Amino acid sequence: MKILVINGPNINLLGIREHSNYGILTLSEINKIIEAEYKKINFEFFQSNFEGEIIGRIQSAQKEFDALIINPGGYAHTSVAIKDALEACKIIKIEVHLSHLAKREDYRQTLLTAGGCDGYISGFKEKSYLAAVYLAKKLYNHK
């Protein structure tokens, strides 16, 4: 199984921003935890602060991958274009958020991009990614 993990804007700042919301680990450390937990899965990790680059990667994903896990960062609340790309992508898609969005600001309660995914996970910091991989694997094996 091959899974693409996409991270959006400001996720490259993990480890130095708002530990109470995002935890203390860097993105690189989270990626290593994912790979260590799921050794039999091939992962590719992609991070961009640019909406168009994220859209391009989503659009090419179904040619190479069995599943896509995305943390769109702030684009989750604003990007119809990323939502449209996710809807057009016909592989398993799970959205991830490190912070517990239901406990955050009102504007974070609208998740546009999650509607283009099979489901979303929020609030478990780095474990959100591990849960998403677990679910992607289960969905893939039950096709």
Side-chain angles (χ1 to χ4, degrees), residues 36-111:
E37 183 81 15
Y38 293 100
K39 292 181 171 115
K40 293 183 180 182
I41 296 176
N42 293 313
F43 292 96
E44 181 176 312
F45 300 98
F46 176 81
Q47 188 278 326
S48 178
N49 293 318
F50 301 100
E51 186 177 32
E53 289 180 359
I54 294 167
I55 291 165
R57 201 63 195 103
I58 293 167
Q59 289 177 350
S60 66
Q62 72 185 32
K63 296 174 193 165
E64 304 174 56
F65 298 95
D66 302 303
L68 183 154
I69 295 169
I70 183 168
N71 181 343
Y75 286 137
H77 318 293
T78 63
S79 183
V80 173
I82 290 176
K83 179 185 188 284
D84 289 347
L86 288 165
E87 287 176 342
C89 183
K90 303 302 180 197
I91 60 176
I92 297 160
K93 300 166 302 259
I94 300 173
E95 184 165 308
V96 167
H97 295 278
L98 295 159
S99 67
H100 192 324
L101 295 176
K103 293 182 176 181
R104 307 254 341 248
E105 303 90 346
D106 287 345
Y107 67 86
R108 293 188 195 273
Q109 305 311 308
T110 300
L111 296 175

Side-chain angles (χ1 to χ4, degrees), residues 20 23 35 64 66 80 87 89 114 122 127 130 141:
S20 61
E35 289 178 316
E64 304 174 56
D66 302 303
V80 173
E87 287 176 342
C89 183
S122 170
K127 291 174 185 65
L130 297 177
N141 289 333

Side-chain angles (χ1 to χ4, degrees), residues 5-24:
V5 180
I6 297 175
N7 287 285
N10 299 312
I11 307 301
N12 57 311
L13 298 177
L14 292 178
I16 60 172
R17 65 184 288 222
E18 302 172 69
H19 293 162
S20 61
N21 285 326
Y22 305 112
I24 61 170

